[in-house]
Amino acid sequence: MAYEQLIVDRDGPVATLRMNNPNVLNALSRTLTAELMDALSGLASDAAVRAVVLTGEGRGFCAGADLGALEAPYRRGERPDLGGFLRDGYNRLIPLLTDMPKPVVAAINGVAAGAGVSLALACDFRVASEASSFSLAFVKIGLIPDSGATVLLPRTIGSARSLQLALTGDRIDAAEALRIGLVTMVVPSDALASEATSLATRLAALPTAAMGMTKRLFRETATMDLRGALEREASAQAEAGATEDHLEGVLAFLEKRPPTFPGR
Ligand code: T3D
């Protein structure tokens, strides 16, 4: 399907989504938000896709909410309901990334601000270019961190650093993001696409069903006690043990050959 502000490329089992609203650093317009939701929903149920890459066109990854959309109503003296806007938009978009039953790699090509940071945090891997930077810019316009940032950021880098970034809105560069664990890898700008694709290609050859279940378990057990988590693991392991991937993994090990996982 052709979109206005999103480019979808397929290379075998890897799908790459490129946010394409570069004049505003891929700010999340209503169009881009809706297109991301549509594309991610389709990829979630497409068994031929076994890994997803999310990146941006131009010099931005994503500058968060499209502030241009607020100009007309604010100048008219209207105050739109931002809570309703979140419930209809980002609150539906973010779970499509976190709950994607296959790995999602954010290839952060430039600045990520506001909900753009949340978008990166909702992905499973964050590979950043040396040109990337990060700002929880919400506070600079009198807003609170949203789109899951209040949960996803502390879970990733700890509460003290999260609060510092959230309360100051300070922009940090790629090296600092790596140091505090906000991203897991920093690469030269011209190597970003190939590094992210090569990671996604490697992930796409692994047992997709088990990876989907692993993501789900990490989400579910985050709020459980040990006994609850042990039981959840047992029932998920029963599911994993019934997959073709598990059978192939064990047989390949016993036959001393590399496995070929069918992804189910
Ligand atoms: O409001 C709601 O709907 C509720 C939900 C809120 C969730 C949020 O995400 S709130 C946070 C929103 N985002 C921001 O506040 C970030 C705003 N942008 C910036 O602070 C800076 O642009 C950056 C730090 C991201 C990058 O700075 P820089 O100097 O590299 O670029 P620039 O020159 O500021 O931006 C380039 C263009 O993109 C510029 O347009 P122009 O002058 O070339 O015509 C700029 O206005 C535009 N732009 C950047 N961010 C946004 C944007 N246009 C609309 N919305 C943006 N978020």
Side-chain angles (χ1 to χ4, degrees):
M1 173 167 180
Y3 294 118
E4 233 180 273
Q5 295 181 1
L6 183 68
I7 300 167
V8 183
D9 290 325
R10 283 283 297 273
D11 184 6
V14 176
T16 299
L17 301 184
R18 280 185 286 144
M19 295 177 276
N20 187 26
N21 195 10
N23 292 339
V24 289
L25 307 175
N26 302 315
L28 288 164
S29 65
R30 278 177 191 259
T31 301
L32 178 55
T33 304
E35 291 181 350
L36 278 167
M37 290 198 284
D38 186 70
L40 289 166
S41 304
L43 295 176
S45 58
D46 186 342
V49 172
R50 294 175 59 184
V52 177
V53 176
L54 176 66
T55 191
E57 280 288 293
R59 70 177 183 86
F61 174 70
C62 174
D66 178 10
L67 300 180
L70 295 176
E71 181 169 5
Y74 282 11
R75 290 203 192 281
R76 283 197 300 269
E78 294 166 13
R79 304 301 293 266
D81 169 23
L82 298 188
F85 172 82
L86 289 181
R87 290 185 194 99
D88 289 345
Y90 308 158
N91 288 11
R92 291 166 54 216
L93 170 60
I94 294 295
L96 288 168
L97 288 163
T98 55
D99 300 5
M100 176 71 67
K102 44 202 118 191
V104 184
V105 177
I108 306 159
N109 52 299
V111 62
V117 178
S118 310
L119 215 51
L121 284 165
C123 298
D124 306 310
F125 298 84
R126 280 165 293 286
V127 182
S129 89
E130 285 169 350
S132 67
S133 61
F134 302 82
S135 166
L136 286 190
F138 308 91
V139 70
K140 294 187 172 177
I141 55 168
L143 292 182
I144 56 99
D146 63 26
S147 311
T150 60
V151 168
L152 299 172
L153 190 64
R155 207 176 270 173
T156 307
I157 65 168
S159 334
R161 284 195 171 115
S162 296
L163 202 55
Q164 181 174 334
L165 292 178
L167 296 185
T168 61
D170 282 349
R171 190 168 171 176
I172 60 169
D173 65 14
E176 177 66 359
L178 182 64
R179 194 185 69 79
I180 65 176
L182 178 52
V183 302
T184 45
M185 203 194 302
V186 175
V187 299
S189 299
D190 59 2
L192 179 68
S194 62
E195 288 286 349
T197 305
S198 117
L199 172 61
T201 304
R202 189 155 64 85
L203 293 164
L206 295 174
T208 307
M211 288 194 292
M213 285 180 227
T214 303
K215 287 179 62 168
R216 199 178 72 205
L217 274 174
F218 269 63
R219 287 194 305 277
E220 291 174 355
T221 57
T223 52
M224 280 183 188
D225 63 10
L226 179 63
R227 280 177 200 285
L230 288 169
E231 179 45 40
R232 260 320 274 116
E233 288 169 3
S235 58
Q237 200 67 295
E239 266 184 80
T243 62
E244 291 177 40
D245 284 339
H246 171 59
L247 187 63
E248 166 63 5
V250 172
L251 292 181
F253 175 78
L254 296 174
E255 292 163 13
K256 301 192 188 305
R257 60 172 173 81
T260 304
F261 294 113
R264 48 185 186 269

